[in-house]
Amino acid sequence: MLEETEDIELLEDDEQQQLYEHFRIVVDKGQEPLRIDKYMFERLQHSSRNRIQKAADAGFVHVNDQSVKSNYKVRPLDVITLMLDSPHHESSIEAEDIPLDIVYEDTDLMVVNKPAGMVVHPGAGNFHGTLINAVAWHLKDLESFNPNDPEVGLVHRIDKDTSGLLVVAKTPVAKTKLGLQFFNKTTHRSYHALVWGNLLEDDGRIEGNISRDPKDRLRMSVFSPDSEVGKPAVTHYHVLERFGYVTMVECILETGRTHQIRAHMKHLGHPLFGDERYGGKEILRGQRSSTYKAFIQNCFKICDRQALHARTLGFVHPTTGKQMDFTSDLPTDLELLIDKWRNYILGTTNDTFAE
């Protein structure tokens, strides 16, 4: 039974200080003997095995209230705790005066255009400077809105380095009704993405279950729809513009899984341009000349993230019943990246792009 997880922060000196419980788990009855560092690594999402080993060697990993070393082998019904020198980070969301690009707002909801680089919600390692901190400041004078109330706030999320549209509910009724639309797949969301390679078809459908990659817990992998691994996911794509070695596509989501477009396009063999976690921040197509390599590196500098933008968002207003549709222009970094590729292919013959 897993009660809580948190990234491991270690003491920097040997002073004896009060320790606080950050993690507790009771080992299952049928557990086979397994080193505790490996056992905890598989269950602590935001910590490396090396950090767990250091924590154990420093006396911060306890089993049945006694500290153990990293080579201890867990046994059935062991009670494992991680004891650190400071209490949990305060989990309440603080209002912070951060600029917001508000596309639309009324008494029930607001639609926000999130810039790339902004985390949407406080979490491990990102407790300040998030979109919801900014929303809390914007709505600080609205007595009915409490940013710490899960019944209001963000209805859906996009990745830190993805730009684009998000809807925020100001009331519990609005969040419930909007949430049902996302659950029932009646919302409309489309993304623009620059992907590696020249797609064979102008239109396509990607279907594959999505689950966490067993080799990299910060990345998602695609599994067969017939498997029992992961959650079903479907992405439709349409080619908007071809640049030989890369292609601009529109992606329309049927489902909204974590990293869905990034994982699906990787699975298709066309990772997002600049997407380091999914292998897109290296030269996957094209020449091996020094000129071309310099061109690609300049592209990465212009847009230092995955080339993905949540361009459109459509839903039915939770109070009026009116259809609401919003469109967000490509941000400057993506516009400059696309212009650079357009200018590049103008000086290149079509024969160059044969693969």
Side-chain angles (χ1 to χ4, degrees), residues 195-261:
V195 303
W196 276 105
N198 196 1
L199 280 76
L200 295 177
E201 305 292 336
D202 286 339
D203 295 277
R205 180 178 186 272
I206 311 169
E207 181 176 4
N209 292 6
I210 291 180
S211 184
R212 197 165 298 280
D213 189 326
K215 296 181 180 179
D216 182 350
R217 294 172 300 161
L218 299 179
R219 183 172 64 188
M220 308 303 286
S221 288
V222 179
F223 300 86
S224 169
D226 298 327
S227 72
E228 297 182 357
V229 180
K231 296 180 179 180
V234 176
T235 303
H236 301 267
Y237 68 84
H238 170 70
V239 171
L240 298 173
E241 195 168 358
R242 296 179 183 274
F243 303 109
Y245 301 131
V246 296
T247 306
M248 190 71 176
V249 297
E250 177 187 39
C251 294
I252 299 175
L253 300 180
E254 270 193 31
T255 54
R257 309 303 181 197
T258 301
H259 295 186
Q260 178 171 322
I261 293 174

Side-chain angles (χ1 to χ4, degrees), residues 152-214:
V152 296
L154 287 166
V155 181
H156 61 121
R157 303 184 184 192
I158 57 179
D159 296 336
K160 172 186 175 182
D161 289 326
T162 299
S163 54
L165 297 171
L166 287 164
V167 61
V168 179
K170 292 185 179 181
T171 69
V173 171
K175 186 165 186 181
T176 297
K177 290 186 176 181
L178 288 168
L180 281 173
Q181 292 182 53
F182 279 88
F183 179 79
N184 292 325
K185 306 173 187 176
T186 58
T187 59
H188 175 84
R189 287 177 290 164
S190 72
Y191 293 70
H192 280 194
L194 186 70
V195 303
W196 276 105
N198 196 1
L199 280 76
L200 295 177
E201 305 292 336
D202 286 339
D203 295 277
R205 180 178 186 272
I206 311 169
E207 181 176 4
N209 292 6
I210 291 180
S211 184
R212 197 165 298 280
D213 189 326

Side-chain angles (χ1 to χ4, degrees), residues 288-323:
R288 287 295 179 262
S289 68
S290 58
T291 302
Y292 181 72
K293 290 179 181 178
F295 166 75
I296 296 297
Q297 291 306 315
N298 285 332
C299 286
F300 289 151
K301 289 178 182 178
I302 288 173
C303 184
D304 189 22
R305 62 178 177 105
Q306 67 258 16
L308 183 63
H309 178 66
R311 179 165 168 77
T312 69
L313 175 62
F315 54 85
V316 174
H317 194 282
T319 300
T320 67
K322 178 183 176 182
Q323 177 66 34

